[in-house]
Amino acid sequence: MELVSLANWHDPGKRRLEAVRAAHERDEAALLELLKTYLILKGRKRATLSPKTLETYEVGVRDFLAWAWPPDSPAPLVQLLKATADDLDRYVADLQTRGSHLEGQPLKPSSIATYLASVRALYRALEWAGAAQLPQGVVAPRDPTPAYERRPALPLNLYKELLARLDPSEPTLQRDRVAVRLMAEAGLRISEVVHLLVSDVHPRERLLEVKRGKGSKQRTIPLSNSLCAELERWLRTRLAYAAAGEMRLLVNMGGRKAGGRGMTARMLRGVINAHYQALGFPERYRGAHMLRHTAGTRFYKASRDLHATARLLGHSNLNTSAIYAKMDLEGLFEVVDRIDEGD
């Protein structure tokens, strides 16, 4: 993430004047520049902040501005530099009842929490500029649905259907199969998959290096024999399709402009969802991240060890990994089937 050189934000005196001006004039672009500068210089991840995270924060701030000072209003409904905890509580309540102020769509509790986090970040930036204070004591609404219900894993029978569709004898499907297996059997996030380089794969050691993990964390993952063999086959196939100098593991197989270049997360997400749709998977089982959940449940079921599951998935908190112990629908089927056997 590059920091745009903005003298007004780097000089403390000018920073305050510019922040006050931007808030009084509803200068959305300037407020977003202040947010970006603050996050890169003072945020928890600082210069390693991902463009996706920044984009998410910017959406939340734009939504808050649309609520506090609608574009068609000559004056703010809420004074941006004097917002209180009560004001933010009203904003959260409005998100719950009305939804997005930009698109008018209902929001899930997790999205509301993200929007509130974005607004908090904006006020921390304004506080850094000496222009306002962060309202305290505002909390996001609790989602009554347990995490393991919100984020299901793909049942084993459907996963087998997906692999059966991805015929490794066809190059494009072979690539898609590698991507799916890296997520569902090695536990990678989609962003980690698309950032893999050829040099991150170590077949002789059966190891995979993940150098662009969440929060810029790195980890080394052991590979099963079958997944390692699949990766070796793909590396040979890839030679015929990769553009000169392209080092990313997964490459685009078609198109004049992108042919042979590394895949993006958006591109891979679309490819995977297309396979789900072609197979007629229930709506509950959609999304690329579900494959990582599938890996988590399989890791835990095979080991019954939260420490091993956390290590493989790159979790720093065991409570995060504990969710996968509750996602194991296969185990629950075994329980209810025993009831039938006992009748």
Side-chain angles (χ1 to χ4, degrees):
M1 173 73 66
E2 292 185 6
L3 178 62
V4 178
S5 180
L6 298 169
N8 287 341
W9 301 132
H10 297 163
D11 181 288
K14 292 182 179 179
R15 184 162 62 226
R16 182 181 183 282
L17 291 175
E18 182 65 7
V20 171
R21 182 205 64 77
H24 283 167
E25 298 178 8
R26 198 193 186 283
D27 188 338
E28 182 179 282
L31 289 171
L32 292 176
E33 284 181 349
L34 169 63
L35 174 66
K36 177 181 177 181
T37 306
Y38 169 79
L39 290 173
I40 294 176
L41 293 180
K42 299 292 183 179
R44 184 168 60 88
K45 296 182 181 178
R46 304 215 174 185
T48 61
L49 177 74
S50 73
K52 181 65 176 176
T53 299
L54 179 61
E55 180 183 336
T56 300
Y57 273 39
E58 288 179 345
V59 170
V61 168
R62 287 193 181 101
D63 186 88
F64 175 70
L65 291 176
W67 173 81
W69 192 343
D72 57 355
S73 175
L77 305 180
V78 173
Q79 292 289 337
L80 295 179
L81 298 182
K82 297 181 180 179
T84 66
D86 287 344
D87 291 325
L88 295 197
D89 281 330
R90 288 193 297 110
Y91 171 61
V92 169
D94 208 45
L95 288 174
Q96 288 182 284
T97 56
R98 175 180 169 178
S100 168
H101 301 88
L102 297 174
E103 301 175 356
Q105 296 178 345
L107 295 175
K108 297 179 181 178
S110 59
S111 297
I112 294 175
T114 300
Y115 278 39
L116 180 57
S118 304
V119 175
R120 285 200 193 101
L122 172 65
Y123 276 95
R124 282 195 294 271
L126 289 168
E127 193 170 66
W128 172 60
Q133 288 188 328
L134 169 66
Q136 300 293 327
V138 184
V139 296
R142 180 178 176 274
D143 192 336
T145 305
Y148 55 86
E149 287 290 345
R150 297 196 305 268
R151 301 178 290 180
L154 189 64
L156 184 58
N157 64 312
L158 295 185
Y159 181 57
K160 288 181 177 178
E161 284 186 39
L162 178 59
L163 288 185
R165 172 180 170 79
L166 302 177
D167 181 0
S169 65
E170 200 285 310
T172 300
L173 294 180
Q174 183 187 17
R175 178 204 62 192
D176 298 350
R177 182 183 175 94
V178 166
V180 164
R181 293 194 66 184
L182 284 170
M183 286 184 274
E185 298 176 37
L188 271 64
R189 300 174 178 87
I190 192 167
S191 60
E192 295 170 341
V193 172
V194 297
H195 283 114
L196 283 176
L197 305 180
V198 171
S199 58
D200 295 332
V201 183
H202 304 284
R204 292 184 64 184
E205 301 170 83
R206 283 203 295 134
L207 292 175
L208 184 71
E209 289 185 276
V210 178
K211 298 177 180 177
R212 293 283 297 275
K214 188 175 181 180
S216 299
K217 290 185 290 188
Q218 300 186 23
R219 68 187 188 279
T220 303
I221 301 173
L223 300 170
S224 68
N225 284 306
S226 64
L227 180 51
C228 191
E230 187 117 51
L231 278 166
E232 287 188 282
R233 286 193 293 272
W234 165 246
L235 288 173
R236 291 192 292 270
T237 302
R238 179 189 174 282
L239 292 173
Y241 295 91
E246 179 58 67
M247 298 307 298
R248 279 172 288 183
L249 179 67
L250 299 184
V251 295
N252 190 338
M253 310 287 272
R256 288 184 302 171
K257 293 184 179 180
R261 298 297 179 186
M263 296 185 77
T264 65
R266 181 177 181 180
M267 184 187 303
L268 181 55
R269 191 175 286 111
V271 166
I272 292 172
N273 283 330
H275 289 308
Y276 293 156
Q277 189 171 4
L279 289 166
F281 282 2
E283 195 64 33
R284 171 180 172 83
Y285 302 116
R286 298 292 171 92
H289 202 67
M290 174 186 62
L291 295 172
R292 176 171 156 86
H293 298 159
T294 303
T297 59
R298 297 180 76 179
F299 290 157
Y300 181 75
K301 188 171 183 178
S303 66
R304 300 297 175 185
D305 185 338
L306 286 179
H307 290 277
T309 302
R311 170 71 176 77
L312 289 165
L313 293 173
H315 289 155
S316 55
N317 190 331
L318 287 183
N319 290 332
T320 306
S321 303
I323 294 172
Y324 296 107
K326 299 179 180 180
M327 276 189 190
D328 184 14
L329 280 178
E330 301 295 330
L332 295 180
F333 273 116
E334 292 173 7
V335 172
V336 297
D337 286 346
R338 287 194 204 107
I339 296 175
D340 281 346
E341 293 169 3
D343 289 342

